[in-house]
Amino acid sequence: MNKNTSAQRNSRDRATAVSGEPAGWGTTLRGLLLLALCLMAAAATGQAQTGTSYTNPVAAGDYPDPSVIRVGRDYWATTTSSEWGPHFPLLHSRDLVNWRQVGVVFPERPSWAVGNFWASEISQDRGRFYIYYTARKQGGSLCVAVATARRPQGPYTDHGPLVCQPLGSIDGFTVRDEAGRRYLLWKEDGNSESKPTPIWAQPLTEDGTKLVGEKQELIRNTERWEKHETLPYGDLVEGPSVIRRGGWFYMFYSGNFCCARECNYMVGVARSRKLLGPWEKNPRNPIMAGNDNWRCPGHGTVVQDPRGRYYYMYHGMHPKDFVYVGRQALLDEITWGADDWPVINDGRGPSLSAASPHGVGETNAEYRFVDEFTAQRLVPGWQWPHVAVPTYSLQRARGGWLTLSRPTASADDPIGGVLARSTTKGDYVATTLIDLNRMGAGASAGLSAFGDVENALGVSVGGGRATLWRREKKEQATVANADAPRAGHVHLRMTVRDGHLYRFAFSTDGSTWTDIGAEVDGAYLPPWDRGVRVALVASGGRGAAGRFGWLRVEPSGTQGAER
C-alpha cells in the first residue's frame, strides 16, 4: 500500500457557508471586511519598516559556537558539530533572524581527525573564504586547522592542522593587525589539566594556511568571573572574536564553563591599540551573563550590517529546555558607551526580543520539521554519529521512502544505523511511518531519543514485536514489549515533555495508538556538549534495513492528524 493511501484516513476537510443575510447586508459586510484588511496591511507594512522585532533564538536547536560573516546582502554562519557528522553546519540568512541550513563544511570527516569537531570560524579575506576549526588528531591533542573555498557555501578544501599544542589548541580566529599582517588567534586548552588558558596570536602566511614566526600571548584567565566556583576545568578564557573600531582592537571572549548542567558561561571584552597588545580588560566585565531568558551565553562572533551597526551572534541555553535542546543561536546588538566600551542589551544579559536588524519578522520555520523523503537527497540538517556512518537511500516513487541500514562496523550494535535531527523545544511529538513488508528477516526499525552512541532511548518494531529499549553508558536493556504487526505499515510516536520525559506508542492507522510501557525518564541522555536528537534507527543482520515513510517533529499542541 502507498504510504499516502494509509495517511489519507486521517485527512480533514474544512468548509464554511454563510446564508440568510438581509438584502444588501452581504455587500456591506464584504466592504467593511475589505477596508479592515487594507488597514491591517498598512499597519503591518508600517511595523515592518519601523518596529518589527524578533525573539531569541534566531536559530532554534543545537547550534553551539556560532560564527557569522556578511557577504554583500547575505549572511553566512557555521557552528560546532562535535561528534555528529557531517561536520560543521553551514547556515544562510538575508536578515540575521531567519536562518536556514544549506550545507556542511565537510561531508566526510577529514582524514587526519578523529573527533571533537568544535568552534568552526568562517571568515573572508581578499575574495577567499576560510574555515578555521578545531578537531582532535589521531593519537594526539586538539588542533586548530583550516579549510578554504572560493564561495562561502563551499566546497571547502581541507589544509589540515596549523597548531597542536600538548595541552590542546582550540578556538581559532583570524584577523589582520594595524599594519595589515594576517594573524591566527587561538586558545591553549590548559583548563583541561587545571592550567592557565592563554589566548595566543601568531602570524599567518598571506594565504592563511600556515603559521610563521613566533606566537605571542594576548590575554589569559585572570579575573574572578572567569573561574567556575566548583569545577577545576571551568577556569578559562576562550572563543576570541576581534574587530577594529575607532582605532581600537576589541576582543570579545568567553569565560567560565560553557556547557552541561553546571555551566556558568559569560562574555567579556578587552581592547588594545595594537593587535599584539597591551590588552586591557573591561573593568565592568562580564558584559553579558545569564538571566531569566537564557542561561550560559557566550562564544560568538561580531558582524556588521550594511548600516554599520554591530551584532553579536552567540549561543545560550533556554532555562526550561536547557541541556536537552542544547546551545541555541542568539543575537543581540552591540552599542557603544561614551568611554568607547561596548555594551550588549544594557548589561541585562541576553534579550528575550529586540528590534529586527533588517525590519523583517521571524518565520520560525525551524520549529516544525517534516521530511517525507521525496527529494533526490536528504535535506540539510540530517546527522549521524561520525564514528558510525550509516548506509541509506531514497526512493521518490510511491510517496517517498528512506531505506536505512546499519554501518558494516556496527554488526553487533542493536541500535544499528542512525539518522537524526536536532530538536528545537523540550515539549514535542515525533512520528514516523515504517514499512514492515520490506525490512527482511531479523531486521528492526525504530524511533529514538538519541544522546550519543552510548546513551539512547527508543522504540523499535520487527518480528511481530514492538520493543521499548534504553541504552545508558553502553548498557542496553529492554524496558517493555508489546505485540505488533508482522507486515503492512506501522506508525511510531514519541511524546516528550520537559525535555526528558518520554512516552512511546505505535499504531496501524495513525489514529488509534497503543502505548508501550510507561513514561521513561531520559535525563541521562544529553552528552556534556550536545543536545538530544530525534533519530530514526535500523538494525539487523546482513541485508536487513528499515524503511521509513517520513519523520515529523512538532512542538506539543501543534500536531494535527497524519496527512
Side-chain angles (χ1 to χ4, degrees):
M1 179 170 54
N2 186 299
K3 74 174 184 184
N4 294 323
T5 303
S6 174
Q8 283 170 0
R9 299 172 181 172
N10 302 302
S11 62
R12 296 180 178 178
D13 296 325
R14 296 181 179 179
T16 303
V18 178
S19 60
E21 305 97 332
W25 174 248
T27 302
T28 303
L29 179 59
R30 284 191 293 272
L32 291 171
L33 287 172
L34 181 60
L35 176 62
L37 288 171
C38 291
L39 292 173
M40 290 170 63
T45 301
Q47 183 186 33
Q49 293 174 345
T50 60
T52 300
S53 63
Y54 69 94
T55 299
N56 273 318
V58 292
D62 200 12
Y63 292 111
D65 312 327
S67 171
V68 58
I69 60 171
R70 180 173 62 86
V71 184
R73 297 175 55 197
D74 298 283
Y75 296 94
W76 297 91
T78 181
T79 73
T80 283
S81 57
S82 196
E83 309 315 305
W84 288 103
H87 306 288
F88 302 127
L90 282 169
L91 297 92
H92 173 259
S93 176
R94 281 287 180 90
D95 51 39
L96 281 175
V97 300
N98 293 292
W99 289 91
R100 182 172 65 92
Q101 185 173 342
V102 294
V104 294
V105 176
F106 297 129
E108 298 180 357
R109 184 174 66 194
S111 59
W112 68 270
V114 294
N116 303 127
F117 290 89
W118 301 339
S120 49
E121 288 286 345
I122 187 169
S123 61
Q124 59 175 321
D125 190 90
R126 301 182 181 181
R128 200 177 187 193
F129 295 89
Y130 297 80
I131 301 285
Y132 291 89
Y133 67 96
T134 300
R136 186 177 297 278
K137 68 179 179 180
Q138 297 185 39
S141 62
L142 291 163
C143 306
V144 173
V146 63
T148 61
R150 296 184 179 276
R151 303 182 304 163
Q153 63 268 45
Y156 281 87
T157 299
D158 186 41
H159 299 275
L162 294 168
V163 57
C164 307
Q165 295 161 291
L167 292 175
S169 306
I170 70 172
D171 298 352
F173 187 90
T174 184
V175 63
R176 289 187 179 269
D177 73 359
E178 62 279 3
R181 190 176 189 185
R182 293 191 73 177
Y183 278 80
L184 177 72
L185 278 59
W186 76 91
K187 169 204 173 186
E188 185 174 1
D189 200 37
N191 60 293
S192 60
E193 296 188 13
S194 300
K195 295 181 179 180
T197 61
I199 302 295
W200 297 100
Q202 187 169 341
L204 283 162
T205 54
E206 191 59 26
D207 68 358
T209 63
K210 290 183 176 61
L211 289 173
V212 294
E214 300 295 325
K215 68 181 185 297
Q216 181 169 324
E217 182 178 322
L218 304 186
I219 65 169
R220 66 169 55 199
N221 46 321
T222 57
E223 307 305 309
R224 184 174 180 180
W225 71 269
E226 297 162 358
K227 177 179 176 60
H228 195 278
E229 291 183 357
T230 60
L231 299 178
Y233 47 83
D235 184 0
L236 58 89
V237 293
E238 62 187 16
S241 172
V242 176
I243 62 169
R244 196 177 189 198
R245 177 185 181 273
W248 291 100
F249 287 97
Y250 292 91
M251 181 194 300
F252 294 79
Y253 67 94
S254 298
N256 215 297
F257 187 55
C258 68
C259 313
R261 291 174 172 85
E262 301 86 358
C263 70
N264 195 24
Y265 223 29
M266 295 177 247
V267 177
V269 66
R271 70 183 181 185
S272 174
R273 291 294 185 182
K274 296 183 178 181
L275 181 64
L276 297 183
W279 286 86
E280 170 197 9
K281 292 182 179 179
N282 189 340
R284 289 187 291 277
N285 278 343
I287 62 170
M288 178 185 284
N291 56 20
D292 291 340
N293 301 325
W294 293 92
R295 295 182 59 178
C296 309
H299 202 136
T301 53
V302 181
V303 66
Q304 264 188 297
D305 74 359
R307 295 171 58 185
R309 297 173 298 182
Y310 292 89
Y311 288 87
Y312 188 55
M313 189 174 180
Y314 60 101
H315 72 235
M317 288 195 280
H318 190 271
K320 179 177 181 292
D321 301 333
F322 200 32
V323 294
Y324 305 110
V325 171
R327 294 173 285 168
Q328 305 187 59
L330 315 179
L331 184 77
D332 271 298
E333 186 176 0
I334 299 170
T335 56
W336 303 87
D339 57 0
D340 284 331
W341 281 110
V343 178
I344 301 176
N345 196 27
D346 294 325
R348 297 191 299 263
S351 64
L352 180 63
S353 61
S356 182
H358 290 263
V360 176
E362 287 175 289
T363 63
N364 294 321
E366 71 267 33
Y367 284 98
R368 180 178 185 269
F369 175 76
V370 177
D371 194 341
E372 298 190 340
F373 308 124
T374 56
Q376 292 183 340
R377 57 182 60 88
L378 286 178
V379 298
W382 282 99
Q383 298 177 302
W384 50 80
H386 76 80
V387 296
V389 181
T391 300
Y392 64 88
S393 62
L394 295 173
Q395 177 190 338
R396 300 174 66 189
R398 300 176 61 83
W401 291 91
L402 165 72
T403 300
L404 174 64
S405 303
R406 61 167 175 78
T408 303
S410 303
D412 298 327
D413 189 337
I415 293 179
V418 176
L419 281 173
R421 298 290 308 194
S422 174
T423 58
T424 57
K425 289 285 188 179
D427 300 292
Y428 60 91
V429 177
T431 58
T432 189
L433 177 70
I434 295 175
D435 181 4
L436 299 171
N437 297 320
R438 303 191 184 188
M439 288 207 311
S444 67
L447 180 64
S448 169
F450 202 91
D452 59 17
V453 293
E454 298 184 1
N455 300 279
L457 173 68
V459 59
S460 296
V461 291
R465 302 290 284 171
T467 301
L468 173 59
W469 51 266
R470 61 176 283 152
R471 176 181 292 184
E472 184 173 2
K473 297 178 180 178
K474 296 184 180 180
E475 295 294 324
Q476 184 99 0
T478 296
V479 178
N481 278 306
D483 291 332
R486 289 182 174 274
H489 292 171
V490 64
H491 302 247
L492 297 181
R493 183 178 71 189
M494 179 171 71
T495 305
V496 188
R497 65 183 180 93
D498 297 335
H500 66 100
L501 298 172
Y502 296 85
R503 286 188 178 275
F504 296 88
F506 74 93
S507 170
T508 57
D509 60 9
S511 296
T512 303
W513 294 89
T514 300
D515 289 334
I516 308 170
E519 188 173 67
V520 183
D521 192 345
Y524 69 93
L525 289 172
W528 72 275
D529 64 340
R530 278 154 281 162
V532 178
R533 266 63 170 170
V534 175
L536 303 177
V537 297
S539 64
R542 182 181 298 273
R547 185 171 157 86
F548 300 87
W550 63 64
L551 176 66
R552 299 171 182 168
V553 185
E554 302 180 81
S556 293
T558 67
Q559 70 276 9
E562 302 287 352
R563 291 191 302 277

